[in-house]
Amino acid sequence: MIRLAVIGDPIEHSLSPAVHGASLDYLGIDYTYEKIHVKPDELKEFAKTAKTSLDGFNVTMPHKLNIIQYLAETDSEGEYYGAVNTVSVKDGKLMGSNTDGVGLSLALNRMNTDFKGKNVTILGAGGAANAVTAAAFKNGAAKITIACRTQSKAEALLESLKRKNSNALDTLPKTKITGFSDTELSDVVSEAEILINTTPLGMEGVKDNFKSFDFLGSLPKGALVTDLIYKPQKTGLLKNAEKMGYAVQNGLDMLIFQALAAEELFLEKKLNMQDVYKAVKEKLK
Ligand code: NAP
């Protein structure tokens, strides 16, 4: 039996138990998967007990950065993304990784696309934008534009990625940062081939939303609009984009694929990702 969990604060609404449960059931693996509410001041103690009580755990807000100090090792993905969402317990040691980037890339593949050579526009510059921007850098985007209201966050994010990729300076994407007004959004999306919303605007339980969706009218034909939100299944952004004829994708595919990539680490074996994805998606309907 494999003992797994997800930790966060809050944690009640996490879909991770449902996603991992569906996949582990499909794979016929005997498991437990708990939702554990860990407050920031409880993280150290949790990390200590997890060495014997669990075989692995997923990490969500607000612990993705703070967990790193309690790990014996962080692999190259964890280092690159500067955050850890997956911890495996091996011989009593905590080993950290990050599967958000792989999860997003596999999700884009479901829409028959990837970052390579693309103009990518990212809305927001918080934790999720960090993973999305790093994945776009790593996977060869031609240009990355971040539109956000606190531009210093986008600057710090891009600077850090440029430093990490300094060995490949001649192949780095062009970058641009702009504000979040309707005019600025119209301007930046006009060359986007992939538009990714990483803000919580339009999420269930969040009052704020985009002031207007008119900026979508500037998107080039054939662009993909991805929203990392999966509740509701279609945010206002996706509904409007779909109405205008764009391909749209919510955050569920990324959530599923990052979970499956984490399971490969927990189980120490390769999964047939597409088969397991289909089984999980069917179960979550
Ligand atoms: P976060 O770190 O708080 O970042 C949120 C970003 O949105 C910040 O840039 C913030 O700007 C911006 N923002 C918030 N309200 C805004 C507004 N009214 N107008 C303009 N910008 C606004 O949050 P996060 O962890 O990145 O999560 C963001 C979203 O991604 C959530 O909906 C989360 O559920 C989703 N997510 C999905 C997945 C998945 O697997 N599908 C994974 C991770 C996250 P300021 O910095 O100016 O506040």
Side-chain angles (χ1 to χ4, degrees):
M1 155 124 77
I2 186 161
R3 301 158 305 166
L4 303 172
V6 58
I7 63 160
D9 177 29
I11 198 64
E12 306 80 63
H13 301 298
S14 172
L15 262 188
S16 288
V19 173
H20 284 280
S23 126
L24 292 163
D25 284 343
Y26 174 77
L27 294 167
I29 288 165
D30 194 13
Y31 69 93
T32 56
Y33 193 103
E34 289 174 82
K35 237 188 247 186
I36 307 180
H37 186 186
V38 177
K39 295 187 188 144
D41 62 355
E42 297 167 344
L43 188 61
K44 187 176 180 183
E45 191 53 35
F46 167 80
K48 205 165 137 196
T49 49
K51 290 177 193 171
T52 50
S53 63
L54 292 171
D55 299 303
F57 57 95
N58 296 111
V59 182
T60 186
M61 289 231 306
H63 303 312
K64 287 186 176 188
L65 300 180
N66 287 336
I67 191 71
I68 294 174
Q69 61 192 308
Y70 304 120
L71 306 177
E73 226 175 88
T74 301
D75 72 2
S76 56
E77 286 293 284
E79 292 278 347
Y80 188 79
Y81 287 91
V84 158
N85 75 338
T86 302
V87 177
S88 314
V89 185
K90 304 287 174 217
D91 303 323
K93 288 190 182 142
L94 302 183
M95 317 295 276
S97 187
N98 189 306
T99 62
D100 283 333
V102 166
L104 176 60
S105 293
L106 289 167
L108 291 180
N109 294 165
R110 290 292 312 175
M111 301 301 288
N112 298 317
T113 190
D114 56 33
F115 282 123
K116 191 143 192 64
K118 300 287 189 321
N119 279 345
V120 182
T121 297
I122 296 161
L123 308 181
N130 205 341
V132 170
T133 313
F137 250 80
K138 199 169 196 205
N139 294 293
K143 182 170 179 185
I144 297 174
T145 305
I146 302 181
C148 61
R149 58 179 186 186
T150 311
Q151 296 189 28
S152 55
K153 286 193 187 170
E155 276 158 23
L157 203 173
L158 290 174
E159 275 318 308
S160 149
L161 282 169
K162 281 178 190 162
R163 263 198 314 277
K164 281 182 191 163
N165 290 281
S166 57
N167 56 342
L169 275 178
D170 48 339
T171 55
L172 288 187
K174 289 185 194 152
T175 58
K176 183 174 163 183
I177 298 170
T178 74
F180 211 76
S181 70
D182 289 346
T183 326
E184 284 164 311
L185 289 179
S186 286
D187 183 40
V188 292
V189 304
S190 67
E191 51 181 20
E193 291 167 282
I194 301 177
L195 172 67
I196 306 185
N197 176 41
T198 75
T199 76
L201 295 177
M203 186 164 88
E204 213 172 270
V206 171
K207 281 200 196 97
D208 289 348
N209 210 328
F210 290 88
K211 288 193 193 83
S212 146
F213 293 104
D214 290 350
F215 68 89
L216 289 172
S218 312
L219 263 178
K221 243 184 162 179
L224 168 68
V225 181
T226 293
D227 200 324
L228 292 199
I229 295 168
Y230 44 82
K231 271 187 189 169
Q233 280 188 18
K234 274 190 193 141
T235 55
L237 179 78
L238 294 190
K239 279 186 190 156
N240 279 275
E242 194 170 45
K243 226 186 283 166
M244 292 180 189
Y246 298 103
V248 300
Q249 179 179 42
N250 72 14
L252 190 58
D253 285 354
M254 176 178 169
L255 183 82
I256 294 175
F257 280 116
Q258 64 77 27
L260 300 188
E263 255 163 50
E264 288 194 331
L265 296 171
F266 295 147
L267 301 170
E268 294 183 286
K269 71 171 191 185
K270 287 268 163 227
L271 302 181
N272 184 330
M273 288 282 194
Q274 299 305 330
D275 284 358
V276 190
Y277 163 84
K278 280 184 205 144
V280 173
K281 191 105 186 224
E282 192 54 41
K283 190 91 183 266
L284 293 181
K285 261 186 191 164

